Amino acid sequence: MTPGGGSGPMKDCEYSQISTHSSSSPMESPHKKKKSAPKRKWEVFPGRNKFFCNGRIMMARQTGVFYLTLVLILVTSGLFFAFDCPYLSEKITPAIPAIGGILFFFVMGTLLRTSFSDPGVLPRATPDEAADLERQIDIANGSSSGGYRPPPRTKEVIINGQTVKLKYCFTCKIFRPPRASHCSLCDNCVERFDHHCPWVGNCVGKRNYRFFYMFILSLSFLTVFIFAFVITHVILRSQQTGFLNALKDSPARYPFTVVCFFSVWSIVGLSGFHTYLISSNQTTNEDIKGSWSNKRGKENYNPYSYGNIFTNCCAALCGPLSPSLIDRRGFIQPDTPQLAGPSNGITMYGATQSQSNMCDQDQCIQSTKFVLQAAATPLLQSEPSITSEELPLPGKTSISGPCATLTLGQPTPPSSMPNLTSDTGLTDMIPLKEEHEGHQFLTPEEAPSPPGMLPSGSPITHSHTMHVLSLASQDSLHEDSVRGLVKLSSV
Amino acid sequence: QVHSLQELRRSASLATKVFVQRDYSDGTTCQFQTKFPPELESRIERQLFEETVKTLNGFYAEAEKIGGSSYLEGCLACATAYFIFLCMETHYEKVLKKISKYIQDQNEKIYAPRGLLLTAPLERGMRVIEISIYEDRCSSGSSSSGSSS
């Protein structure tokens, strides 16, 4: 695991992988950064993600299966264009390679968009926010007697008439918004979490769900297209030269055709499943848990659904695209509070509204305003660069295998997974996560674990707690306020 | 007496932060609670605060509005395989710019003179509106500790 020490000038598209998992260097580097060049936020990102191209591209840690997907699509399509298209464009129409080409580029574009974009990761709570929440939870639980373990941290909200429970995430120290979920593979809370797809090497969430859906839909068309025309090619040739002779031409591609055949069924099935999910405005996560099914009770319905299929589809696919909340490419602001910054050209802020009753002396009022003016401007001008979507690189195709079989076929706890080592790792994680939902909660994230993926149990939760604490320690301004809060709360 | 610049900078300190949480009663759309935090009781008028939050809620509702123009944008983007986002910024981003301008404006006009500072929700993961409460470290020591709960 390479520690994130790339503090020198970064060339574009230079691969610099960050692994902040149980590594002590991200905690030390913020202290060093005053001397070295300012770091970008992705370099100290606490989740288990990989970043490329200086933060423009974001993926999950395990990307092996993604490369397999690329290879499959690329090779199958390449063989199709090389061997079948010349014959077919002569014999039938040149529109065949043209349509195939368009489909191919669409598949690649959407695949890369899905894989490289931020699925809707929620940034972890700042130390102040976490402290404030803790205080409120303690107040809420305050009257309960010590001696038994306090109940799990949940909050209930009523959304469109349905009672929804918001759970507290111990890793991210936030109450998760409705429909958000914590992906244990990426160790992030993701908004509108659908599932973690190893075939695209990323989580599928609010911001990339439409790309994912377009990907599997266009891939279904592409695979059906390729398969149909390969069959057509063989048939036409065998009419000329006989069946066996037709098969002898470039026999190497027939294994890929077989792959194509099997993937057609799984991908078409997956597309159908996601079409159903979109039209009922559910996530894979909710469907697997049966959150809104009638079996839970007659009064149970989906509060997020717009009521009709058309609106649900439009909202999911054509709705507004929210910006990334994690600001990967922003620079980490210096720790010293803006109060102590250089003051070129800062004018006295002579506000006339002196309704504040902070201080009797005029000088104090003026000084506060002055300082706040100085504070406000840099704070507000350092807007996080709202990253528009990542650059989809020119693509290679692959036939992605069945996400469905990984997500759907594993409603039981991960013990059914073939990879035994990952079982123990995952089951180890269950009690450590302190999640009282147990298996039900963890299943959608645990199930599609890529082969060989082994989250190593306890160090994760501890290391991330340490990350949060280290962020607190580096920020002296926040430290002051946290101390202040502690003092205030102890009154 | 004229305070030196250093002294002025040191004379205000962060006392505490108040967090205005999200209001999920309408679903997952971004709305904030208009409940007035007790810590701000002595700092700012209730009506001003509520107006700020309501305006922000209006902006976010506008950003997330699902209607004709957002459909058009979505379909156009899909047709170009989403390459169009390389040249054009989304409707949401345009509204976010308006929001940051509004917050800066509010800070300058209303909040800073009262020793408060709003932080845009975008910087806090769209979870909270963070309001920092500053206090003067006046030499007279008469800083009000009204920010304590």
Short mmCIF file of all heavy atoms in Angstrom, two decimals, chain A residues 57-106:
data_model
loop_
_atom_site.label_atom_id
_atom_site.label_comp_id
_atom_site.label_asym_id
_atom_site.label_seq_id
_atom_site.Cartn_x
_atom_site.Cartn_y
_atom_site.Cartn_z
N ILE A 57 -10.26 11.31 -11.27
CA ILE A 57 -10.88 9.99 -11.41
C ILE A 57 -10.91 9.33 -10.04
O ILE A 57 -9.94 9.35 -9.30
CB ILE A 57 -10.08 9.13 -12.40
CG1 ILE A 57 -10.25 9.70 -13.80
CG2 ILE A 57 -10.52 7.69 -12.36
CD1 ILE A 57 -9.44 9.00 -14.83
N MET A 58 -12.05 8.72 -9.74
CA MET A 58 -12.20 8.11 -8.42
C MET A 58 -12.80 6.73 -8.58
O MET A 58 -13.82 6.56 -9.22
CB MET A 58 -13.16 8.99 -7.62
CG MET A 58 -13.61 8.42 -6.33
SD MET A 58 -14.65 9.63 -5.54
CE MET A 58 -15.06 8.75 -4.05
N MET A 59 -12.14 5.75 -8.00
CA MET A 59 -12.66 4.38 -8.10
C MET A 59 -12.53 3.69 -6.76
O MET A 59 -11.91 4.20 -5.84
CB MET A 59 -11.87 3.58 -9.14
CG MET A 59 -11.95 4.13 -10.53
SD MET A 59 -11.02 3.15 -11.68
CE MET A 59 -12.06 1.73 -11.82
N ALA A 60 -13.12 2.51 -6.70
CA ALA A 60 -12.96 1.71 -5.49
C ALA A 60 -11.55 1.14 -5.45
O ALA A 60 -10.79 1.26 -6.39
CB ALA A 60 -13.98 0.58 -5.48
N ARG A 61 -11.24 0.51 -4.34
CA ARG A 61 -9.88 0.03 -4.21
C ARG A 61 -9.60 -1.16 -5.13
O ARG A 61 -8.56 -1.24 -5.76
CB ARG A 61 -9.62 -0.38 -2.78
CG ARG A 61 -8.27 -1.06 -2.64
CD ARG A 61 -7.94 -1.23 -1.22
NE ARG A 61 -7.90 0.06 -0.60
CZ ARG A 61 -7.36 0.29 0.58
NH1 ARG A 61 -6.84 -0.71 1.23
NH2 ARG A 61 -7.35 1.47 1.09
N GLN A 62 -10.55 -2.09 -5.18
CA GLN A 62 -10.32 -3.30 -5.99
C GLN A 62 -10.80 -3.04 -7.39
O GLN A 62 -12.00 -2.96 -7.63
CB GLN A 62 -11.10 -4.47 -5.38
CG GLN A 62 -10.62 -4.87 -4.01
CD GLN A 62 -9.26 -5.53 -4.06
OE1 GLN A 62 -8.94 -6.22 -5.01
NE2 GLN A 62 -8.46 -5.31 -3.05
N THR A 63 -9.88 -2.94 -8.32
CA THR A 63 -10.29 -2.62 -9.69
C THR A 63 -10.00 -3.76 -10.65
O THR A 63 -10.18 -3.60 -11.84
CB THR A 63 -9.56 -1.36 -10.18
OG1 THR A 63 -8.17 -1.52 -9.93
CG2 THR A 63 -10.06 -0.14 -9.46
N GLY A 64 -9.56 -4.89 -10.14
CA GLY A 64 -9.21 -5.99 -11.03
C GLY A 64 -10.35 -6.43 -11.92
O GLY A 64 -10.18 -6.65 -13.12
N VAL A 65 -11.53 -6.54 -11.34
CA VAL A 65 -12.67 -7.01 -12.12
C VAL A 65 -13.08 -5.99 -13.17
O VAL A 65 -13.57 -6.34 -14.24
CB VAL A 65 -13.86 -7.33 -11.18
CG1 VAL A 65 -14.99 -7.98 -11.94
CG2 VAL A 65 -13.40 -8.23 -10.05
N PHE A 66 -12.85 -4.71 -12.85
CA PHE A 66 -13.16 -3.67 -13.83
C PHE A 66 -12.30 -3.84 -15.08
O PHE A 66 -12.78 -3.72 -16.22
CB PHE A 66 -12.93 -2.29 -13.20
CG PHE A 66 -12.89 -1.16 -14.16
CD1 PHE A 66 -14.04 -0.76 -14.83
CD2 PHE A 66 -11.71 -0.49 -14.43
CE1 PHE A 66 -14.02 0.29 -15.73
CE2 PHE A 66 -11.68 0.57 -15.32
CZ PHE A 66 -12.84 0.95 -15.97
N TYR A 67 -11.02 -4.15 -14.89
CA TYR A 67 -10.15 -4.35 -16.05
C TYR A 67 -10.60 -5.57 -16.85
O TYR A 67 -10.54 -5.59 -18.08
CB TYR A 67 -8.70 -4.49 -15.61
CG TYR A 67 -8.15 -3.21 -15.03
CD1 TYR A 67 -7.58 -3.19 -13.75
CD2 TYR A 67 -8.23 -2.01 -15.72
CE1 TYR A 67 -7.11 -2.01 -13.20
CE2 TYR A 67 -7.75 -0.83 -15.17
CZ TYR A 67 -7.19 -0.83 -13.91
OH TYR A 67 -6.73 0.32 -13.37
N LEU A 68 -11.09 -6.57 -16.14
CA LEU A 68 -11.64 -7.74 -16.83
C LEU A 68 -12.83 -7.34 -17.70
O LEU A 68 -12.95 -7.76 -18.85
CB LEU A 68 -12.07 -8.79 -15.81
CG LEU A 68 -12.77 -10.02 -16.35
CD1 LEU A 68 -11.81 -10.85 -17.18
CD2 LEU A 68 -13.36 -10.86 -15.23
N THR A 69 -13.70 -6.52 -17.12
CA THR A 69 -14.85 -6.02 -17.89
C THR A 69 -14.38 -5.30 -19.15
O THR A 69 -14.90 -5.54 -20.25
CB THR A 69 -15.67 -5.04 -17.02
OG1 THR A 69 -15.98 -5.65 -15.78
CG2 THR A 69 -16.95 -4.63 -17.71
N LEU A 70 -13.42 -4.42 -18.99
CA LEU A 70 -12.90 -3.69 -20.14
C LEU A 70 -12.37 -4.63 -21.20
O LEU A 70 -12.65 -4.48 -22.40
CB LEU A 70 -11.78 -2.75 -19.70
CG LEU A 70 -12.12 -1.45 -19.00
CD1 LEU A 70 -10.85 -0.70 -18.67
CD2 LEU A 70 -13.03 -0.60 -19.85
N VAL A 71 -11.59 -5.59 -20.75
CA VAL A 71 -10.97 -6.53 -21.70
C VAL A 71 -12.03 -7.32 -22.45
O VAL A 71 -11.97 -7.45 -23.67
CB VAL A 71 -10.00 -7.46 -20.95
CG1 VAL A 71 -9.69 -8.70 -21.77
CG2 VAL A 71 -8.72 -6.73 -20.61
N LEU A 72 -13.03 -7.80 -21.71
CA LEU A 72 -14.07 -8.59 -22.36
C LEU A 72 -14.79 -7.78 -23.43
O LEU A 72 -15.00 -8.24 -24.55
CB LEU A 72 -15.07 -9.10 -21.33
CG LEU A 72 -14.63 -10.29 -20.48
CD1 LEU A 72 -15.69 -10.59 -19.44
CD2 LEU A 72 -14.38 -11.49 -21.34
N ILE A 73 -15.20 -6.57 -23.06
CA ILE A 73 -15.94 -5.75 -24.03
C ILE A 73 -15.06 -5.43 -25.23
O ILE A 73 -15.46 -5.55 -26.38
CB ILE A 73 -16.47 -4.45 -23.38
CG1 ILE A 73 -17.50 -4.76 -22.30
CG2 ILE A 73 -17.09 -3.54 -24.42
CD1 ILE A 73 -18.12 -3.54 -21.67
N LEU A 74 -13.84 -5.01 -24.91
CA LEU A 74 -12.95 -4.60 -26.00
C LEU A 74 -12.66 -5.74 -26.96
O LEU A 74 -12.77 -5.60 -28.18
CB LEU A 74 -11.64 -4.09 -25.40
CG LEU A 74 -10.65 -3.56 -26.41
CD1 LEU A 74 -11.17 -2.31 -27.06
CD2 LEU A 74 -9.31 -3.29 -25.75
N VAL A 75 -12.32 -6.89 -26.40
CA VAL A 75 -11.94 -7.99 -27.27
C VAL A 75 -13.13 -8.48 -28.08
O VAL A 75 -13.02 -8.70 -29.29
CB VAL A 75 -11.32 -9.13 -26.44
CG1 VAL A 75 -11.16 -10.38 -27.27
CG2 VAL A 75 -9.99 -8.70 -25.86
N THR A 76 -14.26 -8.64 -27.43
CA THR A 76 -15.43 -9.14 -28.17
C THR A 76 -15.83 -8.18 -29.27
O THR A 76 -16.07 -8.61 -30.42
CB THR A 76 -16.60 -9.36 -27.21
OG1 THR A 76 -16.15 -10.10 -26.09
CG2 THR A 76 -17.73 -10.11 -27.88
N SER A 77 -15.89 -6.89 -28.92
CA SER A 77 -16.27 -5.92 -29.96
C SER A 77 -15.21 -5.84 -31.04
O SER A 77 -15.51 -5.73 -32.23
CB SER A 77 -16.48 -4.54 -29.35
OG SER A 77 -17.37 -4.60 -28.28
N GLY A 78 -13.95 -5.90 -30.61
CA GLY A 78 -12.87 -5.84 -31.59
C GLY A 78 -12.93 -6.98 -32.57
O GLY A 78 -12.81 -6.80 -33.79
N LEU A 79 -13.15 -8.17 -32.06
CA LEU A 79 -13.26 -9.32 -32.95
C LEU A 79 -14.46 -9.18 -33.88
O LEU A 79 -14.39 -9.51 -35.07
CB LEU A 79 -13.40 -10.60 -32.13
CG LEU A 79 -12.13 -11.04 -31.38
CD1 LEU A 79 -12.44 -12.21 -30.47
CD2 LEU A 79 -11.03 -11.38 -32.35
N PHE A 80 -15.54 -8.66 -33.35
CA PHE A 80 -16.73 -8.45 -34.19
C PHE A 80 -16.42 -7.49 -35.32
O PHE A 80 -16.72 -7.76 -36.49
CB PHE A 80 -17.89 -7.93 -33.33
CG PHE A 80 -19.10 -7.53 -34.11
CD1 PHE A 80 -19.93 -8.50 -34.68
CD2 PHE A 80 -19.43 -6.20 -34.29
CE1 PHE A 80 -21.05 -8.14 -35.41
CE2 PHE A 80 -20.56 -5.83 -35.01
CZ PHE A 80 -21.37 -6.80 -35.58
N PHE A 81 -15.81 -6.37 -34.99
CA PHE A 81 -15.53 -5.37 -36.04
C PHE A 81 -14.50 -5.88 -37.03
O PHE A 81 -14.56 -5.61 -38.23
CB PHE A 81 -15.05 -4.05 -35.41
CG PHE A 81 -16.15 -3.28 -34.75
CD1 PHE A 81 -16.09 -2.96 -33.41
CD2 PHE A 81 -17.27 -2.88 -35.46
CE1 PHE A 81 -17.11 -2.26 -32.78
CE2 PHE A 81 -18.29 -2.18 -34.85
CZ PHE A 81 -18.22 -1.87 -33.51
N ALA A 82 -13.57 -6.67 -36.53
CA ALA A 82 -12.51 -7.13 -37.43
C ALA A 82 -12.98 -8.24 -38.37
O ALA A 82 -12.65 -8.24 -39.55
CB ALA A 82 -11.34 -7.62 -36.60
N PHE A 83 -13.75 -9.16 -37.85
CA PHE A 83 -14.04 -10.35 -38.65
C PHE A 83 -15.43 -10.38 -39.26
O PHE A 83 -15.62 -10.91 -40.34
CB PHE A 83 -13.85 -11.61 -37.80
CG PHE A 83 -12.42 -11.83 -37.44
CD1 PHE A 83 -11.97 -11.63 -36.15
CD2 PHE A 83 -11.52 -12.23 -38.41
CE1 PHE A 83 -10.65 -11.83 -35.83
CE2 PHE A 83 -10.19 -12.44 -38.09
CZ PHE A 83 -9.75 -12.23 -36.80
N ASP A 84 -16.40 -9.86 -38.52
CA ASP A 84 -17.76 -9.98 -39.04
C ASP A 84 -18.17 -8.79 -39.87
O ASP A 84 -18.91 -8.93 -40.85
CB ASP A 84 -18.75 -10.16 -37.87
CG ASP A 84 -18.46 -11.42 -37.10
OD1 ASP A 84 -18.68 -12.51 -37.65
OD2 ASP A 84 -17.99 -11.31 -35.95
N CYS A 85 -17.75 -7.63 -39.45
CA CYS A 85 -18.25 -6.43 -40.11
C CYS A 85 -17.87 -6.31 -41.58
O CYS A 85 -18.73 -5.93 -42.39
CB CYS A 85 -17.80 -5.19 -39.34
SG CYS A 85 -18.79 -4.95 -37.87
N PRO A 86 -16.64 -6.65 -41.97
CA PRO A 86 -16.34 -6.53 -43.42
C PRO A 86 -17.30 -7.36 -44.26
O PRO A 86 -17.85 -6.90 -45.27
CB PRO A 86 -14.91 -7.04 -43.53
CG PRO A 86 -14.34 -6.90 -42.18
CD PRO A 86 -15.45 -7.05 -41.22
N TYR A 87 -17.51 -8.57 -43.84
CA TYR A 87 -18.39 -9.47 -44.59
C TYR A 87 -19.82 -8.93 -44.59
O TYR A 87 -20.48 -8.88 -45.63
CB TYR A 87 -18.34 -10.86 -43.95
CG TYR A 87 -19.17 -11.88 -44.67
CD1 TYR A 87 -18.66 -12.54 -45.78
CD2 TYR A 87 -20.47 -12.19 -44.25
CE1 TYR A 87 -19.42 -13.49 -46.45
CE2 TYR A 87 -21.23 -13.12 -44.92
CZ TYR A 87 -20.70 -13.77 -46.01
OH TYR A 87 -21.45 -14.70 -46.68
N LEU A 88 -20.29 -8.56 -43.41
CA LEU A 88 -21.69 -8.15 -43.29
C LEU A 88 -21.95 -6.83 -43.99
O LEU A 88 -23.03 -6.62 -44.56
CB LEU A 88 -22.09 -8.06 -41.81
CG LEU A 88 -22.21 -9.40 -41.08
CD1 LEU A 88 -22.30 -9.17 -39.57
CD2 LEU A 88 -23.42 -10.17 -41.56
N SER A 89 -20.99 -5.94 -43.94
CA SER A 89 -21.25 -4.64 -44.57
C SER A 89 -21.31 -4.79 -46.07
O SER A 89 -22.02 -4.06 -46.76
CB SER A 89 -20.21 -3.61 -44.16
OG SER A 89 -18.95 -4.00 -44.60
N GLU A 90 -20.56 -5.77 -46.59
CA GLU A 90 -20.69 -6.05 -48.03
C GLU A 90 -22.01 -6.71 -48.34
O GLU A 90 -22.74 -6.31 -49.21
CB GLU A 90 -19.58 -7.00 -48.46
CG GLU A 90 -18.31 -6.35 -48.91
CD GLU A 90 -17.32 -7.44 -49.27
OE1 GLU A 90 -17.74 -8.40 -49.96
OE2 GLU A 90 -16.16 -7.33 -48.85
N LYS A 91 -22.24 -7.78 -47.60
CA LYS A 91 -23.38 -8.63 -47.94
C LYS A 91 -24.72 -7.97 -47.64
O LYS A 91 -25.68 -8.13 -48.40
CB LYS A 91 -23.30 -9.93 -47.12
CG LYS A 91 -22.54 -11.03 -47.75
CD LYS A 91 -23.46 -11.81 -48.68
CE LYS A 91 -22.68 -12.89 -49.41
NZ LYS A 91 -23.55 -13.77 -50.19
N ILE A 92 -24.80 -7.30 -46.54
CA ILE A 92 -26.12 -6.79 -46.11
C ILE A 92 -26.15 -5.27 -46.26
O ILE A 92 -26.77 -4.73 -47.17
CB ILE A 92 -26.46 -7.21 -44.68
CG1 ILE A 92 -26.36 -8.73 -44.55
CG2 ILE A 92 -27.86 -6.76 -44.31
CD1 ILE A 92 -26.67 -9.24 -43.18
N THR A 93 -25.51 -4.58 -45.34
CA THR A 93 -25.52 -3.12 -45.40
C THR A 93 -24.38 -2.59 -44.55
O THR A 93 -24.04 -3.16 -43.52
CB THR A 93 -26.86 -2.55 -44.88
OG1 THR A 93 -26.68 -1.16 -44.61
CG2 THR A 93 -27.30 -3.23 -43.59
N PRO A 94 -23.77 -1.48 -44.95
CA PRO A 94 -22.73 -0.88 -44.10
C PRO A 94 -23.29 -0.21 -42.84
O PRO A 94 -22.52 0.26 -41.99
CB PRO A 94 -22.07 0.17 -45.01
CG PRO A 94 -22.98 0.36 -46.14
CD PRO A 94 -23.88 -0.81 -46.26
N ALA A 95 -24.59 -0.20 -42.72
CA ALA A 95 -25.14 0.38 -41.49
C ALA A 95 -24.81 -0.47 -40.27
O ALA A 95 -24.81 0.03 -39.14
CB ALA A 95 -26.64 0.53 -41.62
N ILE A 96 -24.52 -1.72 -40.52
CA ILE A 96 -24.26 -2.62 -39.37
C ILE A 96 -23.04 -2.20 -38.58
O ILE A 96 -23.14 -2.01 -37.36
CB ILE A 96 -24.17 -4.08 -39.85
CG1 ILE A 96 -25.54 -4.53 -40.33
CG2 ILE A 96 -23.66 -4.97 -38.74
CD1 ILE A 96 -25.56 -5.90 -40.94
N PRO A 97 -21.88 -2.05 -39.22
CA PRO A 97 -20.75 -1.55 -38.41
C PRO A 97 -20.98 -0.15 -37.87
O PRO A 97 -20.50 0.18 -36.78
CB PRO A 97 -19.56 -1.57 -39.38
CG PRO A 97 -20.10 -1.86 -40.71
CD PRO A 97 -21.45 -2.42 -40.57
N ALA A 98 -21.75 0.66 -38.59
CA ALA A 98 -22.00 2.02 -38.11
C ALA A 98 -22.79 1.99 -36.80
O ALA A 98 -22.42 2.62 -35.80
CB ALA A 98 -22.76 2.82 -39.17
N ILE A 99 -23.87 1.24 -36.82
CA ILE A 99 -24.68 1.14 -35.60
C ILE A 99 -23.87 0.49 -34.48
O ILE A 99 -23.91 0.90 -33.32
CB ILE A 99 -25.98 0.36 -35.87
CG1 ILE A 99 -26.85 1.13 -36.86
CG2 ILE A 99 -26.74 0.12 -34.58
CD1 ILE A 99 -28.06 0.36 -37.31
N GLY A 100 -23.13 -0.54 -34.87
CA GLY A 100 -22.29 -1.21 -33.87
C GLY A 100 -21.30 -0.25 -33.24
O GLY A 100 -21.06 -0.28 -32.03
N GLY A 101 -20.73 0.59 -34.10
CA GLY A 101 -19.76 1.56 -33.61
C GLY A 101 -20.37 2.54 -32.64
O GLY A 101 -19.80 2.86 -31.58
N ILE A 102 -21.56 3.02 -32.98
CA ILE A 102 -22.24 3.97 -32.10
C ILE A 102 -22.55 3.33 -30.75
O ILE A 102 -22.30 3.91 -29.68
CB ILE A 102 -23.54 4.49 -32.76
CG1 ILE A 102 -23.20 5.36 -33.97
CG2 ILE A 102 -24.38 5.29 -31.76
CD1 ILE A 102 -24.40 5.74 -34.78
N LEU A 103 -23.06 2.12 -30.82
CA LEU A 103 -23.36 1.42 -29.58
C LEU A 103 -22.10 1.22 -28.74
O LEU A 103 -22.10 1.41 -27.52
CB LEU A 103 -23.97 0.04 -29.88
CG LEU A 103 -25.47 -0.04 -30.07
CD1 LEU A 103 -25.88 -1.45 -30.43
CD2 LEU A 103 -26.20 0.41 -28.82
N PHE A 104 -21.04 0.85 -29.43
CA PHE A 104 -19.78 0.60 -28.74
C PHE A 104 -19.30 1.86 -28.00
O PHE A 104 -18.92 1.80 -26.83
CB PHE A 104 -18.75 0.14 -29.78
CG PHE A 104 -17.37 0.02 -29.24
CD1 PHE A 104 -17.01 -1.05 -28.44
CD2 PHE A 104 -16.40 0.97 -29.55
CE1 PHE A 104 -15.72 -1.17 -27.96
CE2 PHE A 104 -15.11 0.86 -29.06
CZ PHE A 104 -14.77 -0.21 -28.26
N PHE A 105 -19.32 3.00 -28.68
CA PHE A 105 -18.87 4.23 -28.03
C PHE A 105 -19.78 4.63 -26.88
O PHE A 105 -19.33 5.13 -25.84
CB PHE A 105 -18.73 5.37 -29.04
CG PHE A 105 -17.48 5.27 -29.84
CD1 PHE A 105 -17.52 5.11 -31.20
CD2 PHE A 105 -16.24 5.31 -29.21
CE1 PHE A 105 -16.35 4.99 -31.93
CE2 PHE A 105 -15.08 5.19 -29.94
CZ PHE A 105 -15.12 5.03 -31.30
N PHE A 106 -21.06 4.38 -27.05
CA PHE A 106 -21.98 4.71 -25.98
C PHE A 106 -21.72 3.84 -24.75
O PHE A 106 -21.70 4.32 -23.61
CB PHE A 106 -23.42 4.54 -26.46
CG PHE A 106 -24.42 5.27 -25.63
CD1 PHE A 106 -24.61 6.63 -25.77
CD2 PHE A 106 -25.17 4.62 -24.66
CE1 PHE A 106 -25.53 7.33 -25.00
CE2 PHE A 106 -26.09 5.30 -23.88
CZ PHE A 106 -26.26 6.65 -24.05
#
